[in-house]
Amino acid sequence: EPEVTQTPSHQVTQMGQEVILRCVPISNHLYFYWYRQILGQKVEFLVSFYNNEISEKSEIFDDQFSVERPDGSNFTLKIRSTKLEDSAMYFCASSREGQNSPLHFGNGTRLTVT
Amino acid sequence: GNSVTQMEGPVTLSEEAFLTINCTYTATGYPSLFWYVQYPGEGLQLLLKATKADDKGSNKGFEATYRKETTSFHLEKGSVQVSDSAVYFCALISSGGSYIPTFGRGTSLIVHP
């Protein structure tokens, strides 16, 4: 069964550094998402992407965040200047359609900001 | 706005015990409801879903019934196994406007042999 793959599985970075989290969604899916989960807290929506542009974003997704689909297969999340509170598990997801279509999640990237 | 409230965990059970994980929601319109499961070290996987009132979603022995009158979607299993140990997330997608799922906090289930 096709999977969403994320790399790296664990990223450690220093405060103020830029990080890029990478995802390869399922190939025939059209909607792409980033969520994050701070340890012990709920899974929070960051951004959704459709037709090569951001379709929705949350309050968390401020100017330090950006997303790209650079080559038709990868879907990246960039954090420009990381803060300690960005430490979390970041999940990429994709879905074939929007409404009522279940999300398929990757295994996540654990980001640790020191 | 939309929100999902789940019971606090962890829920600790012995093998073959009956499981209930409570989930209630607030949403505009008639949302679709989902349960996702996250096994250790993995991403979330869809476990079951229900798209309209009184629908029952079921998978792998788990069940949940969409109760519009109580705005609930409680997850149940008659006899849990050690392999069911995971974190369970209730989620909804609102019927109007955004198709972005809203997740609950997650409930950790620990099953002992």
Side-chain angles (χ1 to χ4, degrees):
Chain A
E1 186 177 326
E3 291 181 342
V4 175
T5 56
Q6 289 185 244
T7 55
S9 57
H10 191 190
Q11 174 89 46
V12 181
T13 190
Q14 289 189 327
M15 199 166 51
Q17 295 297 304
E18 175 184 285
V19 294
I20 297 177
L21 309 183
R22 301 182 191 280
C23 170
V24 179
I26 294 174
S27 61
N28 63 350
H29 284 189
L30 303 176
Y31 295 78
F32 314 113
Y33 311 80
W34 283 100
Y35 282 79
R36 78 173 185 191
Q37 184 182 24
I38 295 172
L39 186 64
Q41 299 187 25
K42 65 180 180 180
V43 176
E44 301 174 294
F45 168 70
L46 294 178
V47 65
S48 64
F49 195 86
Y50 171 71
N51 202 26
N52 286 321
E53 60 183 20
I54 290 173
S55 48
E56 286 194 50
K57 60 182 181 179
S58 72
E59 293 175 353
I60 302 168
F61 194 86
D62 60 21
D63 290 344
Q64 71 160 342
F65 290 94
S66 62
V67 289
E68 250 192 340
R69 190 156 161 80
D71 56 14
S73 62
N74 290 284
F75 179 52
T76 61
L77 175 70
K78 182 192 289 186
I79 309 174
R80 284 191 188 81
S81 178
T82 51
K83 304 190 283 276
L84 293 176
E85 53 265 38
D86 293 327
S87 295
M89 184 72 97
Y90 287 80
F91 290 106
C92 174
S94 67
S95 66
R96 187 170 168 75
E97 301 165 0
Q99 190 78 28
N100 295 329
S101 184
L103 272 61
H104 296 255
F105 284 82
N107 286 351
T109 294
R110 179 167 297 286
L111 177 65
T112 303
V113 182
T114 61
Chain B
N2 299 329
S3 68
V4 175
T5 303
Q6 294 181 233
M7 62 190 289
E8 291 275 339
V11 173
T12 305
L13 295 172
S14 298
E15 209 164 22
E16 298 183 4
F18 184 85
L19 168 71
T20 301
I21 299 178
N22 290 340
C23 170
T24 56
Y25 66 88
T26 304
T28 53
Y30 300 97
S32 294
L33 302 174
F34 304 82
W35 276 100
Y36 282 79
V37 58
Q38 182 184 27
Y39 298 105
E42 298 183 14
L44 284 70
Q45 304 171 27
L46 179 66
L47 180 59
L48 53 85
K49 69 176 184 179
T51 56
K52 61 183 190 295
D54 299 326
D55 267 3
K56 179 186 283 188
S58 61
N59 186 24
K60 298 180 182 179
F62 291 89
E63 293 183 340
T65 301
Y66 188 139
R67 300 281 187 207
K68 180 167 168 284
E69 63 277 12
T70 54
T71 61
S72 65
F73 192 55
H74 304 322
L75 182 69
E76 295 181 337
K77 187 174 185 182
S79 176
V80 292
Q81 306 300 312
V82 172
S83 56
D84 294 326
S85 297
V87 182
Y88 292 82
F89 292 88
C90 187
L92 69 84
I93 296 178
S94 180
S95 61
S98 173
Y99 54 83
I100 305 301
T102 299
F103 286 86
R105 184 177 293 269
T107 302
S108 175
L109 170 66
I110 301 168
V111 181
H112 293 296

